[in-house]
Amino acid sequence: MTAPQTLRLTTAQALVRFLAAQYTERDGRRQRLFAGVLGIFGHGNVAGVGQALLENELAQQDSADPAPALPYVLARNEQAMVHTAVGYARHHDRLQTWACTASVGPGSTNMLTGAALATINRIPVLLLPSGTFATRVSAPVLQELESPAAGDVSVNDAFRPLSAYFDEVERPEQLPSALLTAMAVLTDPARTGAVTVSLPQDVQAEAADWPVTLFAERTWTVPRQRPDVEQLRRAAELIRGANTPLIVAGGGVHYSGAEDELAALVADTGIPVAETQAGKGALLHGDPALLGAIGSTGTTAANAIAADADVVIGIGTRYSDFTTASRSVFGNPDVRFVNVNVAAADSVKQSGLAVTGDAKESLRELRSALAGYRVPQPLTNRVGELWREWDRQVQASYQPPAEVTDRLDAGLLTQGQVLGAVNELSDPRDVVLCAAGSMPGDLHKLWRVRDRKGYHVEYGYSCMGYEIPAAIGVKLADPARDVFAMVGDGGYLMMPAELVTAVQERVKIIVVLVQNYGFGSIGALSESLGSQRFGTRYRYRDGAPDAGGQLDGPLIEIDLAANARSLGATVIEVSDADQLAAAIATAKAAPDDGGPVVIHVSTDPFVFSPDSAAWWDVPVAQVSHLDSTQTAFDEYTEHKKHQREYLAPADPGPTAPKEHS
Ligand SMILES: Cc1ncc(C[n+]2csc(CCOP(=O)(O)OP(=O)(O)O)c2C)c(N)n1
Ligand SMILES: [Mg+2]
């Protein structure tokens, strides 16, 4: 027997070689799992993973050893680079992503927020935080946590609850199993999220003899799990008995690529469709079954049907509080749920009948199980009427009447005007991207989606600062589309730095920076909860804090346009609707390799999008000396009365149950 062939490499070199050889496959299409590695070097990774990436890039240039591509992109903030990876992976329906390398200590813990965002949104990213010495001979090193209670605790343990899978490679020999499990979790649609492999700084540089088979190309099939036949039959039976069925389309419809199957089912049956943030665009604008957004940021149309629905069919949804209006939007006392979801834990939510499986396969099978079924005609008529009424309100937001615009201060637009202009002047295939502030809710209500990949709002973690780095990820994933990142002034100030990364990579993203001097969203929320917009405005302190001075002095006139310009972006400042239209045209005409374009626009935070009267459960102080808080608490108590538990089981069990004694 000949000895197995081995390669002598450091752990980091082995890691890089392995990552470059991973592929995913679904529906017969194969692609690289990793587009590259994003990173920021420090003493924890510069000579380990950094050295390995250098060797990899040089080998690519050397035709004698044409190693597969795994380009390195230097980011400016570790949290942001995870957002870039998430933006990329979401746009690729979770089939491709990036790895992220960070140095020990703050470099690594900066990725924690990104990890939480990825796991909550179920988007695959590979995080490679660096750990302090496994040997501990030089301990404590710079940035090392010393716990008096446990010698083996490190800051990287903070990734454990945030990761879909976590491992620390303390010995080179542990690398193969850690990586194989990591790949399996990244490509498992029911489990995916942030996958973290912590790499102590000394282990990264340690050499070992690796079997060459470790580096063979591997293709990870992303499975399409079929639902249980009997569960599907019962689901169809329940739906056939419904008078007012309603589909709630979530992100799973997109990730599974099930849009056509959904449209076909809906065309056959007439079941109306409401959409979550992640599911928006599951049906395109103009589909007669579309009711638009559901829940706290929903349309009057979707929420009216939800109030009466007797069977709610959730497809690929987690039923977040925004979707259910904190369990108040489904008002029918006899409502039952059918949940198509690849994750078992989601498919049993709201005591639903669980159709655990891939959305595309499940919808295909459900469609044939529902053959001949059609919703009552009065429901179809009502859906059409409700939608037309809502769409009129959308148009009025896009083009507000003179009685609204006449009240605006000079130079200000309404947020609805801004969203309307971007919607109407962008290409149907362009992508709108947002995450936090008042724009996600307004986009959910108002945006007309014209392409299945055209709407990207991160609302699982709603993380201020996601927008610019994630837009870079989307543009890298799909250079043929323009990406419009809608960013509030608060969100912009959290994470402007990745504009520099966009400059470096010559990536064109279009950032629409909406200046309204503070937290329009949380300000309005604060007011509605009796907290008087306290601490939500970007204003000077009026008097010293110890003399009762509050943040209600003059507006802080900082120049965010100059800030963006100083970071290398092309900046266009606009102060009326015509200038905004011209700026969008200029931005669209800018070259794809010309770096970021920022459109700076100021808006009036007191003109709101149309209301659907839906609730969101945010607790109000039960006792207070303030009249505003007491009034808000009374209103809160009223709303609480409409909150439901949805505990009635939807699954009837076998038709003729055989009880065991
Ligand atoms: C990282 C982070 N911190 C805090 C919050 C809570 N939060 C939600 S919206 C918001 C204000 C956003 O301000 P801005 O970006 O200016 O948008 P606007 O509300 O004015 O539309 C805050 C602080 C958050 N979502 N993310
Ligand atoms: Mg703001």
Side-chain angles (χ1 to χ4, degrees):
M1 218 176 89
T2 52
Q5 243 193 312
T6 58
L7 268 179
R8 188 148 183 88
L9 299 170
T10 68
T11 303
Q13 290 160 358
L15 164 85
V16 167
R17 193 173 278 253
F18 176 91
L19 295 182
Q22 306 307 304
Y23 292 80
T24 57
E25 173 271 324
R26 191 172 69 176
D27 304 332
R29 273 209 310 277
R30 193 173 95 124
Q31 49 272 309
R32 264 182 203 291
L33 175 51
F34 299 102
V37 180
L38 291 149
I40 293 180
F41 295 135
H43 66 277
N45 58 346
V46 68
V49 172
Q51 192 279 341
L53 288 167
L54 167 68
E55 270 200 17
N56 174 69
E57 286 207 359
L58 293 180
Q60 276 165 241
Q61 295 165 7
D62 173 7
S63 56
D65 181 13
L70 199 68
Y72 176 69
V73 170
L74 164 60
R76 297 298 177 284
N77 173 300
E78 293 87 354
Q79 181 193 131
M81 71 196 188
V82 187
H83 297 335
T84 300
V86 168
Y88 187 98
R90 175 165 162 177
H91 195 79
H92 273 306
D93 293 334
R94 314 195 293 194
L95 298 171
Q96 280 189 286
T97 186
W98 288 68
C100 298
T101 174
S103 189
V104 291
S108 287
T109 53
N110 262 358
M111 296 199 295
L112 289 168
T113 295
L117 183 148
T119 297
I120 286 168
N121 284 288
R122 284 107 194 250
I123 303 290
V125 290
L126 178 63
L127 306 185
L128 304 169
S130 299
T132 48
F133 280 79
T135 60
R136 299 191 201 161
V137 284
S138 305
V141 298
L142 179 68
Q143 303 167 329
E144 179 162 350
L145 175 78
E146 286 184 280
S147 166
D152 64 346
V153 168
S154 88
V155 294
N156 286 352
D157 288 311
F159 283 94
R160 290 177 187 271
L162 307 179
S163 299
Y165 175 72
F166 177 93
D167 204 352
E168 177 154 285
V169 175
E170 289 162 330
R171 297 282 316 135
E173 294 87 332
Q174 295 169 348
L175 186 73
S177 65
L179 287 180
L180 290 171
T181 313
M183 299 307 112
V185 175
L186 280 171
T187 56
D188 178 342
R191 288 190 61 198
T192 196
V195 166
T196 306
V197 179
S198 172
L199 299 165
Q201 55 187 130
D202 50 348
V203 180
Q204 289 179 37
E206 201 174 332
D209 295 309
W210 309 88
V212 290
T213 46
L214 176 62
F215 310 113
E217 279 189 7
R218 270 164 230 274
T219 303
W220 302 85
T221 293
V222 178
R224 291 198 179 277
Q225 188 189 331
R226 304 301 205 276
D228 179 78
V229 174
E230 173 62 9
Q231 291 298 85
L232 194 98
R233 190 192 64 73
R234 288 182 205 169
E237 204 171 287
L238 195 66
I239 296 166
R240 281 178 185 278
N243 281 319
T244 313
L246 171 67
I247 287 173
V248 176
V253 175
H254 287 307
Y255 305 144
S256 161
E259 295 88 352
D260 290 348
E261 284 69 18
L262 177 66
L265 175 97
V266 163
D268 282 4
T269 61
I271 301 173
V273 175
E275 295 171 334
T276 73
Q277 279 281 16
K280 194 168 158 86
L283 284 190
L284 298 181
H285 181 72
D287 191 303
L290 184 62
L291 289 163
I294 188 167
S296 305
T297 52
T299 67
T300 47
N303 288 351
I305 299 293
D308 296 341
D310 50 0
V311 175
V312 173
I313 307 151
I315 306 170
T317 176
R318 302 185 297 129
Y319 287 110
S320 81
D321 62 346
F322 266 77
T323 296
T324 67
S326 301
R327 294 179 190 254
S328 69
V329 82
F330 306 114
N332 186 327
D334 297 319
V335 63
R336 295 287 184 277
F337 296 81
V338 169
N339 300 320
V340 176
N341 206 298
V342 74
D346 287 321
S347 63
V348 298
K349 284 179 177 170
Q350 327 296 11
S351 312
L353 199 160
V355 179
T356 306
D358 170 71
K360 191 181 181 97
E361 290 303 330
S362 303
L363 286 175
R364 215 198 312 262
E365 291 177 26
L366 194 58
R367 182 176 168 219
S368 55
L370 286 174
Y373 168 78
R374 181 117 199 128
V375 300
Q377 186 60 34
L379 176 60
T380 303
N381 298 345
R382 194 168 161 230
V383 166
E385 282 158 27
L386 285 165
W387 179 254
R388 282 188 291 279
E389 166 52 24
W390 175 258
D391 207 43
R392 270 193 293 278
Q393 298 205 51
V394 172
Q395 202 56 43
S397 278
Y398 283 11
Q399 271 125 16
E403 72 214 51
V404 174
T405 50
D406 286 352
R407 287 204 312 267
L408 298 173
D409 286 345
L412 298 191
L413 294 173
T414 68
Q415 191 155 286
Q417 279 180 299
V418 174
L419 302 188
V422 177
N423 186 276
E424 290 178 344
L425 301 172
S426 57
D427 190 272
R429 273 174 49 82
D430 290 347
V431 180
V432 70
L433 189 147
C434 193
S438 57
M439 281 192 283
D442 287 2
L443 286 165
H444 197 207
K445 286 180 180 182
L446 304 177
W447 191 261
R448 292 168 174 162
V449 185
R450 301 150 294 167
D451 181 275
R452 61 170 288 250
K453 302 262 51 158
Y455 186 86
H456 184 133
V457 174
E458 185 282 296
Y459 218 61
Y461 212 40
S462 185
C463 184
M464 291 165 78
Y466 174 81
E467 303 88 352
I468 292 173
I472 294 172
V474 173
K475 185 69 181 175
L476 288 173
D478 198 348
R481 299 175 194 248
D482 275 323
V483 186
F484 286 84
M486 312 299 295
V487 191
D489 50 330
Y492 178 82
L493 284 169
M494 280 254 178
M495 190 102 37
E498 291 318 296
L499 284 176
V500 183
T501 306
V503 171
Q504 158 193 295
E505 298 298 318
R506 298 191 176 84
V507 169
K508 173 184 163 193
I509 55 170
I510 304 172
V511 177
V512 180
L513 169 46
V514 177
Q515 167 67 286
N516 63 7
Y517 295 96
F519 305 161
S521 52
I522 304 298
L525 180 67
S526 167
E527 190 167 333
S528 75
L529 302 177
S531 293
Q532 306 177 12
R533 294 186 176 255
F534 174 67
T536 62
R537 287 166 295 210
Y538 288 166
R539 288 176 176 271
Y540 285 98
R541 187 172 298 286
D542 208 10
D546 55 3
Q550 291 197 338
L551 301 180
D552 53 10
L555 292 176
I556 307 173
E557 291 287 354
I558 37 153
D559 190 345
L560 295 182
N563 176 278
R565 206 173 279 123
S566 78
L567 297 177
T570 303
V571 180
I572 311 170
E573 292 175 75
V574 305
S575 52
D576 64 35
D578 290 341
Q579 288 177 14
L580 176 60
I584 294 168
T586 307
K588 279 206 57 70
D592 264 333
D593 60 356
V597 181
V598 174
I599 299 174
H600 181 282
V601 55
S602 295
T603 59
D604 184 333
F606 297 99
V607 181
F608 300 103
S609 60
D611 194 14
S612 59
W615 184 54
W616 182 35
D617 189 352
V618 179
V620 179
Q622 296 186 353
V623 292
S624 166
H625 298 299
L626 305 176
D627 288 346
S628 61
T629 307
Q630 286 168 16
T631 308
F633 181 67
D634 291 343
E635 281 169 21
Y636 179 74
T637 313
E638 263 318 296
H639 280 298
K640 277 298 254 191
K641 291 180 188 157
H642 301 285
Q643 196 167 33
R644 305 272 307 280
E645 283 164 327
Y646 307 133
L647 288 175
D651 190 343
T655 330
K658 295 188 192 71
E659 300 285 347
H660 289 285
S661 49

